[in-house]
Amino acid sequence: MMKQDLKISLPVYKIGYSLAFIVILSCVHSVVYINEIGPAIDEKMAVLAMVFCADTYLIEKQCRRREVFRLYSIKNQYHAILRRIMAQIGYLTVSSIFAYGMFYWQKPAVLDEKRSGIFLFLLYCGVVFITVFFWSVLSVTVCNLLQSVGGGMGMLFLVWLFLVSKAGEKLLGVWNPFSYEFCKFSELTEWKWAAGKIITAVCAILLLLLQKKILEKRG
């Protein structure tokens, strides 16, 4: 069963375009300092997660397996969706870490010896995991509620555009899901910016727990 869910959630074409996305990003987005790598990737991984996970459930409908899938109990459907989401989140998180290393071909400089190297990398790992987690679960939820992959991605892309804009930064401040990107390098260890990531992590967990109810309502 796990093997089948992996095959459904991680098809070759998804792996192909996600890797291409990472390579292209590391080539077109220039960085000068190491601390710029994390913010350069994090908000872009939200878009990749949004697209990557949009059809996690609706692929059953697209591939005409929906009637068979609905023969399973809601509990089994829920567990299948969870396995698929977790597999996708795991893959995207590993891909994000790989993307971080890809930027080193640009030979970014060290801005501060006390806050560089391993500290920035570990901080990035935690931040990007939350980003991938939140946008993956949100994408699955919205697309399932709307019963439309295109409609769900379109709505979420507009939300993403607002959040990464100057208006989103000013309106939400440290509560913005992308507060890490807007944070100045000197403010990283003040941790005020972490409020936005904590909120998104909590929301992602709640949405994950709600998947069973959504399946019952939307089928």
Side-chain angles (χ1 to χ4, degrees):
M1 188 175 292
M2 185 63 187
K3 184 178 180 180
Q4 180 66 19
D5 287 325
L6 284 173
K7 185 178 179 180
I8 292 172
S9 58
L10 298 174
V12 174
Y13 78 91
K14 282 191 176 183
I15 294 174
Y17 75 64
S18 61
L19 292 178
F21 176 87
I22 289 169
V23 172
I24 293 172
L25 178 62
S26 67
C27 292
V28 301
H29 197 303
S30 61
V31 296
V32 178
Y33 299 104
I34 291 176
N35 60 285
E36 295 175 344
I37 299 176
I41 303 171
D42 187 58
E43 65 182 31
K44 310 302 189 305
M45 286 306 300
V47 177
L48 181 59
M50 181 199 312
V51 175
F52 199 93
C53 300
D55 64 352
T56 298
Y57 173 71
L58 294 180
I59 193 171
E60 300 291 345
K61 181 179 180 180
Q62 296 168 347
C63 297
R64 300 181 180 179
R65 295 192 300 260
R66 188 176 185 180
E67 295 306 317
V68 175
F69 189 72
R70 291 179 70 176
L71 292 176
Y72 298 154
S73 66
I74 292 297
K75 180 180 179 180
N76 287 339
Q77 290 182 40
Y78 174 61
H79 289 164
I81 295 300
L82 286 186
R83 288 193 296 269
R84 295 177 191 181
I85 294 175
M86 291 300 104
Q88 291 171 330
I89 290 174
Y91 168 77
L92 290 171
T93 301
V94 172
S95 298
S96 302
I97 294 172
F98 172 70
Y100 192 93
M102 288 290 294
F103 273 81
Y104 272 84
W105 74 267
Q106 298 184 31
K107 298 181 180 179
V110 175
L111 186 61
D112 186 343
E113 290 290 349
K114 295 180 180 179
R115 282 174 290 189
S116 62
I118 192 65
F119 168 76
L120 291 176
F121 174 69
L122 292 176
L123 181 62
Y124 163 78
C125 288
V127 165
V128 81
F129 170 75
I130 293 174
T131 296
V132 167
F133 182 29
F134 174 69
W135 288 93
S136 295
V137 178
L138 184 63
S139 181
V140 173
T141 303
V142 172
C143 289
N144 195 13
L145 286 173
L146 296 179
Q147 292 290 291
S148 170
V149 172
M153 286 195 297
M155 179 183 294
L156 290 178
F157 185 68
L158 292 177
V159 173
W160 178 84
L161 282 177
F162 168 72
L163 292 175
V164 299
S165 69
K166 288 294 182 182
E169 177 186 4
K170 291 180 180 179
L171 182 63
L172 299 176
V174 296
W175 302 103
N176 192 307
F178 297 110
S179 52
Y180 169 69
E181 281 77 6
F182 299 129
C183 178
K184 295 180 180 178
F185 181 62
S186 59
E187 299 173 345
L188 277 178
T189 53
E190 293 182 8
W191 303 106
K192 292 179 181 179
W193 59 268
K197 291 300 179 183
I198 292 172
I199 287 296
T200 53
V202 172
C203 289
I205 292 171
L206 293 176
L207 287 174
L208 202 59
L209 295 175
L210 283 173
Q211 293 304 308
K212 189 174 181 179
K213 289 294 182 182
I214 294 172
L215 285 171
E216 291 174 350
K217 294 292 184 181
R218 302 299 294 177

